[in-house]
Amino acid sequence: MIQANEAFLKISENFSIDKHEIISTQNALGYKLFDDILAIKNLPAFDNSALDGYAVKFDEQKNGYVLKDSIFAGEKKELSINGNECVKIMTGAPFPKGADSVIRLEDAIQKDGKIYANSNFKKGDAHRFLGEETKVGEILITKNTTLTPIHIMYLAAQGITHVKVYKKPKIAIFSSGDELKEPWEWADELEIYNANAYGVASLLSHYGFSSDYLGIIKDDLDATINSFKQIDGYDVVFCSGGASKGEADYMKTALVSLGYTEIFSRINIRPGGPCKAFTKDNKLIFILPGNPMAAYLCAFLFALPVLLGKEHDKVVAKAMQEIKLKQGRANVVLGSVNFTQNECEFHITDNNNFGSGMIKPLIKSNALYLSDATQDGIKKDSVIKVIRFS
């Protein structure tokens, strides 16, 4: 058995996502960069105007400006001004030589055939300088960054059409148990529907990972062995059920017989203790608990960070209730974070009374607190760090 805070490191020591590929920038959302990307173009690429107005020399405003010419974005003509001259300029158009500021079009005062600035005008207004945002050769985006829509925009602004990224792992999902029925099948009062596979698949999809569902494994050793013989080509495999110590749990026996090494057999946490992980030839297998809440939380807390390459970010919050916890294990405390004007509040769901087979408490929550094994409770108004999951 390992402690909850050791699981990420233990798995990372035995499994890594090291395959890479070159893909189109427009399809790279959610992928993690394999290398640093360097800027190949200055941003802006030339001095230009940030708004529509009149390009002038600030120190010459006393006697007004005489309109000399105009320039629009996309025009490549080179203009210059002297003394009290100005050029009508549109957003993104090249800056005339000699100008250092732009009078906003709606703020310009026209009098006696000249252009004047109002009292709000400041030197340097709307003047965007070549390379002020990014210069050629600078690191544009660092390696291991997960690409967001803003990163895609940034790459497109450089004319970068393809990037080298970590290849997303190919993932398979099983469920196990003679009592399971698929949602489209009829289930009698002693049978239950297979919720776990759908929950885990949706969780993975929410974070940008696709998966293949391979069906339900019956409670039979040969059936279990045969199922795990069919996972060639997959990097990560999830199976819910068969993680506890019941007589019909064949997972460890089957996987060890196929040459897999156990990373851990149990996590010291509630809920989710009966969670196992195995590895072989850089293939990772998670045996999740059969209870829905436990399966979902183990996938979220321990498997997802490995796929993302980092542990979950935490939010500093104030506990709005007091609650007692059992020492000797990590405890998941479900709740909701609310952001007020001054702070982030963590409201505990249903006084943290739930069973690992439930789903509804997860729906009522958007965050969780994971206690230390030595902790016997949370005091009201104490400052804690919580993980958001929705």
Side-chain angles (χ1 to χ4, degrees):
M1 181 170 67
I2 64 169
Q3 300 302 317
N5 59 5
E6 299 171 344
F8 175 76
L9 180 59
K10 193 70 174 177
I11 298 168
S12 299
E13 289 174 349
N14 290 274
F15 173 79
S16 63
I17 299 171
D18 55 6
K19 299 176 183 177
H20 57 83
E21 60 184 336
I22 295 175
I23 62 173
S24 166
T25 298
Q26 64 182 356
N27 295 323
L29 180 66
Y31 281 81
K32 188 165 67 171
L33 280 181
F34 188 79
D35 293 317
D36 291 339
I37 294 183
L38 303 183
I40 58 176
K41 187 177 179 67
N42 292 313
L43 291 179
F46 52 88
D47 284 27
N48 68 84
S49 178
L51 48 81
D52 297 343
Y54 298 92
V56 301
K57 187 173 182 179
F58 181 84
D59 294 337
E60 300 292 334
Q61 62 179 299
K62 182 176 181 180
N63 297 315
Y65 300 100
V66 177
L67 184 62
K68 177 181 180 180
D69 206 334
S70 63
I71 187 167
F72 292 82
E75 288 192 271
K76 297 182 179 179
K77 60 184 181 183
E78 295 184 4
L79 298 179
S80 61
I81 60 171
N82 295 305
N84 291 94
E85 294 177 335
C86 69
V87 168
K88 189 174 185 179
I89 190 168
M90 298 296 108
T91 304
F95 228 70
K97 292 181 180 179
D100 59 18
S101 311
V102 176
I103 302 172
R104 187 188 300 268
L105 198 62
E106 56 267 36
D107 292 342
I109 301 169
Q110 299 194 26
K111 181 180 177 182
D112 300 328
K114 290 185 178 181
I115 306 296
Y116 294 85
N118 66 15
S119 59
N120 295 324
F121 184 47
K122 296 182 177 61
K123 188 171 185 177
D125 278 358
H127 186 179
R128 294 194 293 213
F129 292 89
L130 179 152
E132 72 175 22
E133 179 181 5
T134 304
K135 292 181 174 59
V136 172
E138 290 181 348
I139 294 180
L140 197 69
I141 308 174
T142 57
K143 64 182 180 180
N144 295 323
T145 297
T146 299
L147 296 175
T148 68
I150 304 303
H151 292 123
I152 302 300
M153 179 185 288
Y154 204 19
L155 292 167
Q158 288 281 313
I160 296 174
T161 61
H162 289 78
V163 290
K164 183 186 286 189
V165 297
Y166 285 96
K167 196 171 184 177
K168 290 191 177 182
K170 191 171 182 183
I171 302 173
I173 297 175
F174 289 107
S175 287
S176 73
D178 290 342
E179 75 281 11
L180 293 182
K181 291 289 186 180
E182 299 292 11
W184 59 86
E185 297 178 316
W186 180 81
D188 65 28
E189 294 304 314
L190 296 179
E191 295 172 323
I192 61 175
Y193 285 116
N194 177 20
N196 294 0
Y198 291 84
V200 172
S202 296
L203 173 66
L204 296 173
S205 179
H206 181 73
Y207 284 88
F209 299 98
S210 60
S211 60
D212 295 328
Y213 175 54
L214 303 185
I216 297 172
I217 303 174
K218 293 299 182 181
D219 288 330
D220 176 82
L221 181 57
D222 289 338
T224 304
I225 292 173
N226 289 334
S227 294
F228 283 114
K229 283 182 177 179
Q230 300 173 26
I231 57 174
D232 288 346
Y234 289 100
D235 303 296
V236 180
V237 179
F238 290 86
C239 183
S240 65
S244 68
K245 297 180 180 180
E247 291 182 2
D249 293 338
Y250 301 113
M251 295 298 164
K252 180 174 181 177
T253 302
L255 289 168
V256 170
S257 73
L258 293 171
Y260 286 86
T261 300
E262 187 178 74
I263 300 174
F264 54 78
S265 61
R266 189 175 180 84
I267 301 175
N268 190 23
I269 187 174
R270 175 201 176 261
C275 179
K276 306 179 191 294
F278 295 81
T279 186
K280 174 186 173 183
D281 299 330
N282 205 38
K283 186 192 300 289
L284 181 62
I285 296 182
F286 285 99
I287 308 300
L288 304 173
N291 283 315
M293 182 187 291
Y296 188 90
L297 288 174
C298 283
F300 175 77
L301 286 171
F302 308 120
L304 192 59
V306 175
L307 300 179
L308 294 172
K310 66 183 186 71
E311 296 188 87
H312 291 296
D313 295 329
K314 295 183 178 180
V315 177
V316 176
K318 183 170 79 170
M320 304 307 292
Q321 295 93 27
E322 181 175 348
I323 192 167
K324 292 183 178 180
L325 300 172
K326 184 177 180 179
Q327 285 184 297
R329 68 185 182 195
N331 292 272
V332 173
V333 179
L334 297 176
S336 295
V337 291
N338 295 327
F339 292 91
T340 66
Q341 185 174 1
N342 299 317
E343 61 191 357
C344 174
E345 299 176 347
F346 182 67
H347 296 266
I348 297 170
T349 300
D350 298 338
N351 203 36
N352 210 42
N353 290 323
F354 62 80
S356 61
M358 295 180 174
I359 299 174
K360 191 174 181 179
L362 291 171
I363 294 176
K364 297 168 71 173
S365 309
N366 65 17
L368 64 84
Y369 172 70
L370 185 60
S371 75
D372 184 85
T374 62
Q375 193 173 353
D376 63 359
I378 301 173
K379 293 183 179 179
K380 187 177 184 296
D381 296 330
S382 61
V383 177
I384 59 176
K385 291 184 178 180
V386 302
I387 302 170
R388 299 194 65 178
F389 59 79
S390 66

